[in-house]
């Protein structure tokens, strides 16, 4: 079983910083006692595999400061307390339609009761999942008890068609729910694609760039951007008079950003969100709603904890035999599905009353980080635990774990003042994060992400300073982080009054992570290679900002006068360092000898009926070569209707397919991601990437097509076909820039 709940989480990271500093014995004893207390409070996940979900011992209620308004209603007696849970479910998307539809049916397995009312507004997609009569409108339901996961049995209240990406639609739903189902406490759960600090919630009926016409809308169109969500929640609470929600949840990808929590903090006591892409099955609605129905006297902290603790392990699509077979397409054990699904999940619950302390600690950290070497700050950004990018493969990941990044800055600099600031930040985050889970493939995920783009993204008005400060406006106005980014990329003194003119391209920027990396001419032991005679490649890189080094193999296509990208792989560093499970290379510069023996082999994907050569791109560096992960780009084609979507296959280094992520955009601007549930008959069209020699430019073409069936899709090695290859090394600096050295080798 995967260990989803890591026993020490943030405390373990804080302990590593304390133990590396000069602290007295009493401090260590007190800290050790805190570790033991938290460890004793953890709940084993295996028990959650049995349905119905176990009843958990209620946590002590969290005191709400007097300055924060009550949730609603005025009732304070847990014995009579009532709830209304609002499900805002935008299933108007082919990838998510069935997943969100079944989430609604999971809620039906609990249904409403006298003290817990559940209401839903769900918008379905035209031409996707055909279950339950294949309706594609927007419906409002009063959720009633029904055990069928594939047919809606709730009371239909109304039907029509609305734009779920419009804040007005959300406001109207909240007002309707409060007016018709008043309660003492309210929870709002929003489901759809998430994009992190930009927001999310796209809809095919949306037109134009949205109410605010922010720069990022030029790329992604009309979404429910974060500033519009902020404004809509303010209006909904003002017009309903409920004060604030007890809980706001984002059953969506990438939404556990500090920027997002800051936006919703005025409107709720607790929030739940994921730092990474969520699996298609979403939250375990039967699991946590069963706990709420069994104990309606709980508060938002207990409900948030129940959502986190039931995630994956208590999901009915895993526990129910019929639903599990439908979800996986084959007969697989509960344990196997949990293990595979939970590998890279994250979910965290935040006490929003503690967010001001986190923001204050972030400011202290930003000031301290602004006074150390910005090259080392860039190094920490490069190697911090990162999450899926919505901005494409051409730039380094920009969504990083705040705690892991902060700890890496201390390791990189050794600065005492910075260490103290990081300890304060981790302490504040520890108080704010009331529950957190993360899979073994996200060891550096602690519950809160932050945006730290490279210089290319920062200067881009669609993804950088201009959009960031307008979309994540509440966070930008309430913290120094955007000012820190401006100082980092301009070399100016950090201050709260540091404001860059927009658009950002008009500003003179520096790139602390960039390095003037040079490579000596590539040396090859031979200009021909066979399976029995590999070629040794060597060069020397000079520069002190080396981030990653990759092997590149390209195949010359004489007819196209172009080079096909055939293979890319990590080159291991002079040493490998690990910070809380996240590995990164160490280069003993400024001169780094790069030496690699290339055996003329490539990679291919087998779908059970045929094997086709394919490019595997480096995805995440591993503590050993065997622990690295890779990805393959292509177009996912849905067998039921032929629709397709830009997607990535994520591979383990053991040949296994870990997941497929689909995106709402293109390869250049992928946008919001989500995990695709593979169905027999679905296809995957490989994307081939080429370098055109005559034009000195790149282009892509569609390659071979794979078909998913009963046999798991895997990758394997194959001999490189005879021909002329361009092989060499790509050296990436800490800002995502490249230096290259190649040589031609003929494979016989």
């Amino acid at each position: 079983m995967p260990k989803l709940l890591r026993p020490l989480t943030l405390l373990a990271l804080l302990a590593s910083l304390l133990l590396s500093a000069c602290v007295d014995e009493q401090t260590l004893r007190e800290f050790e006692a805190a570790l033991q207390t938290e460890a004793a409070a953890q709940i084993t996940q295996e028990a959650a595999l049995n349905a119905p979900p176990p009843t958990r011992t209620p946590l002590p209620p969290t005191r709400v400061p007097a300055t924060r308004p009550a949730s609603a209603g005025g009732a304070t007696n847990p014995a009579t307390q009532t709830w209304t849970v609002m499900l805002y479910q935008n299933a108007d998307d082919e990838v998510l339609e069935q997943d969100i539809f079944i989430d609604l049916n999971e809620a039906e397995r609990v249904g409403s009761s006298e003290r817990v009312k559940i209401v839903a507004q769900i918008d379905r997609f035209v031409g996707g999942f055909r279950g339950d009569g294949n309706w594609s409108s927007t419906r409002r339901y009063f959720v009633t008890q029904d055990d069928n996961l594939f047919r809606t049995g709730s009371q239909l209240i109304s039907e029509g068609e609305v734009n779920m990406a419009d804040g007005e639609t959300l406001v109207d739903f909240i007002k309707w729910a409060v007016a018709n189902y008043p309660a003492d406490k309210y929870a709002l759960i929003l489901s759809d694609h998430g994009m992190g600090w930009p927001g999310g919630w796209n809809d095919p009926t949306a037109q134009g760039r949205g109410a605010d016409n922010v720069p990022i809308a030029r790329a992604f169109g009309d979404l429910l951007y974060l500033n519009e969500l902020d404004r809509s929640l303010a209006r909904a609470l003002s017009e309903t008079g409920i004060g604030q929600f007890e809980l706001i949840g984002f059953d969506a990808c990438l939404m556990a950003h500090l920027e997002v929590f800051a936006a919703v903090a005025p409107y709720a006591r607790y929030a739940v969100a994921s730092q990474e892409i969520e699996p298609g099955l979403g939250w375990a609605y039967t699991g946590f709603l069963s706990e709420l129905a069994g104990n309606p006297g709980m508060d938002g902290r207990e409900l948030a904890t129940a959502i986190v603790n039931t995630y994956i392990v208590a999901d009915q699509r895993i526990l129910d035999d019929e639903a599990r077979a439908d979800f996986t397409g084959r007969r697989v054990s509960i344990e196997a599905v949990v293990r595979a699904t939970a590998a890279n999940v994250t979910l965290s619950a935040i006490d929003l009353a503690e967010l001001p302390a986190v923001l204050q600690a972030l400011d202290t950290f930003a000031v301290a980080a602004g006074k150390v070497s910005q090259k080392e700050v860039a190094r920490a950004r490069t190697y911090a635990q990162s999450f899926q990018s919505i901005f494409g493969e051409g730039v380094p990941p920009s969504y990083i774990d705040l705690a892991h990044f902060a700890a890496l800055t201390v390791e990189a600099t050794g600065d005492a003042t910075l260490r103290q600031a990081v300890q304060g930040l981790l302490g504040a985050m520890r108080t704010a994060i009331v529950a957190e889970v993360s899979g073994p493939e996200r060891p550096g995920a602690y519950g809160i992400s932050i945006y730290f783009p490279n210089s290319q993204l920062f200067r881009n008005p669609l993804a950088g300073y201009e959009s960031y400060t307008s979309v994540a406006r509440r966070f930008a106005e309430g913290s120094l982080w955007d000012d820190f980014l401006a100082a980092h990329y301009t070399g100016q003194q950090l201050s709260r009054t540091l404001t860059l003119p927009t658009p950002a391209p008009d500003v003179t920027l520096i790139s602390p992570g960039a390095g003037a990396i040079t490579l000596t001419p590539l040396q090859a032991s031979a200009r021909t290679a066979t399976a029995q005679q590999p070629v040794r490649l060597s060069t020397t890189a000079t520069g002190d900002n080396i981030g990653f080094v990759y092997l590149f193999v390209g195949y010359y296509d004489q007819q196209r006068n172009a080079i096909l990208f055939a293979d890319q792989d990590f080159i291991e560093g002079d040493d490998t360092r690990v910070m809380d499970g996240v590995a990164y290379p160490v280069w003993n510069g400024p001169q780094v000898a790069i030496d690699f023996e290339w055996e003329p082999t490539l990679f291919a994907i087998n779908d059970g009926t045929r094997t086709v050569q394919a490019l595997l791109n480096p995805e995440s560096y591993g503590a050993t070569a065997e622990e690295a992960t890779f990805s393959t780009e292509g177009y996912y084609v849905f067998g039921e209707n032929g629709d397709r979507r830009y997607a990535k296959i994520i591979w383990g280094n053991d040949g296994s397919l870990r997941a497929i992520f689909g995106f709402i955009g293109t390869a250049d601007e992928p946008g919001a991601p989500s995990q695709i549930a593979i169905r027999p008959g679905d296809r995957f069209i490989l994307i081939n990437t080429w370098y055109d020699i005559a034009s000195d430019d790149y282009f892509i073409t569609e390659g071979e097509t794979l078909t998913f069936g009963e046999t798991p899709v895997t990758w394997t090695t194959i001999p490189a076909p005879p021909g002329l290859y361009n092989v060499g090394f790509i050296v990436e600096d800490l800002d995502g820039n490249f230096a290259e050295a190649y040589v031609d080798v003929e494979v016989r």
Side-chain angles (χ1 to χ4, degrees), residues 445-568:
Y446 287 98
I448 298 178
S449 301
I450 201 163
Y451 186 52
F452 196 157
N454 76 331
S455 64
Q456 179 183 343
L457 281 180
F458 181 78
R459 65 167 54 94
N460 188 320
L462 275 62
Y465 182 83
E466 188 175 355
S467 281
Y468 185 59
T469 54
S470 56
V471 173
R473 181 175 302 164
R474 183 177 296 276
F475 175 73
E477 292 176 350
S479 80
L480 278 172
W481 185 250
D482 61 308
D483 308 282
F484 167 77
L485 294 178
H488 178 77
Y489 285 119
T490 63
Q492 299 180 52
Q493 185 70 31
L494 173 62
S495 71
R496 195 172 290 277
T497 59
L498 176 57
T499 302
L500 299 184
T502 56
D506 295 339
V507 180
T508 300
L509 298 180
I510 62 173
S511 301
I517 298 173
T518 60
L519 298 178
T520 60
L522 188 64
Q523 302 297 311
S525 62
R527 290 303 182 96
T528 60
T530 66
Q532 293 74 34
Q533 293 182 317
V535 173
R536 182 163 293 279
L537 308 171
S538 59
T539 184
T540 297
T542 301
D544 59 358
N545 279 14
I546 296 175
F548 294 99
V549 179
Y550 308 94
L551 170 72
F552 173 84
V553 178
Y555 174 75
Y556 278 104
D557 185 309
Q558 294 184 354
Q559 184 175 359
R560 291 180 182 268
N561 192 30
I563 298 174
L564 172 68
F565 284 36
D567 184 28
Q568 293 187 108

Side-chain angles (χ1 to χ4, degrees), residues 177-342:
V178 172
N180 290 277
Y181 307 97
D184 300 322
K185 293 186 181 295
Y186 296 93
L188 172 66
I189 299 174
L190 302 100
S191 304
D192 191 20
H193 292 292
M195 297 175 64
W197 65 263
W201 283 256
N202 62 298
D203 192 298
T205 63
Q207 301 293 326
R209 298 177 181 173
D212 298 281
N213 194 22
V214 290
I216 195 172
R218 298 203 294 271
F220 298 124
D222 181 13
L223 306 175
L224 187 57
Y225 290 101
L226 192 60
N227 56 325
E228 184 179 5
L229 175 64
D230 185 330
R231 186 173 63 247
S232 300
L233 291 173
R235 181 181 159 199
L237 296 193
S238 173
E239 296 186 12
T240 59
I242 66 173
Q244 62 180 172
F245 289 98
E246 185 71 7
L247 179 144
I248 291 179
F250 297 97
D251 188 1
C253 302
L254 305 174
M255 294 301 288
H257 276 232
L258 190 55
E259 295 90 334
V260 174
F261 294 136
V264 302
Y267 315 117
R269 296 181 65 203
Y270 297 91
V272 179
S274 171
Q275 294 180 271
E276 187 51 284
I277 293 178
E278 287 193 349
L281 48 75
W283 293 359
Y285 285 84
T286 302
F288 69 81
L289 289 173
S290 292
E291 295 198 23
L292 179 61
N295 179 24
M298 68 169 57
D299 67 356
R301 182 187 186 96
E302 295 166 88
L303 178 58
T305 302
I307 293 171
V308 171
N309 286 346
T310 58
Y311 189 42
I312 307 299
V313 295
D315 198 288
Q316 295 300 294
R317 292 186 76 182
I318 296 178
L319 301 183
D320 184 283
D321 291 341
E322 180 184 0
R324 185 171 67 257
D326 177 77
F327 176 59
T328 63
R330 56 181 65 89
R331 295 182 64 85
V332 187
S333 70
I334 292 174
E335 291 78 5
V337 178
V338 170
R339 185 180 300 110
T341 307

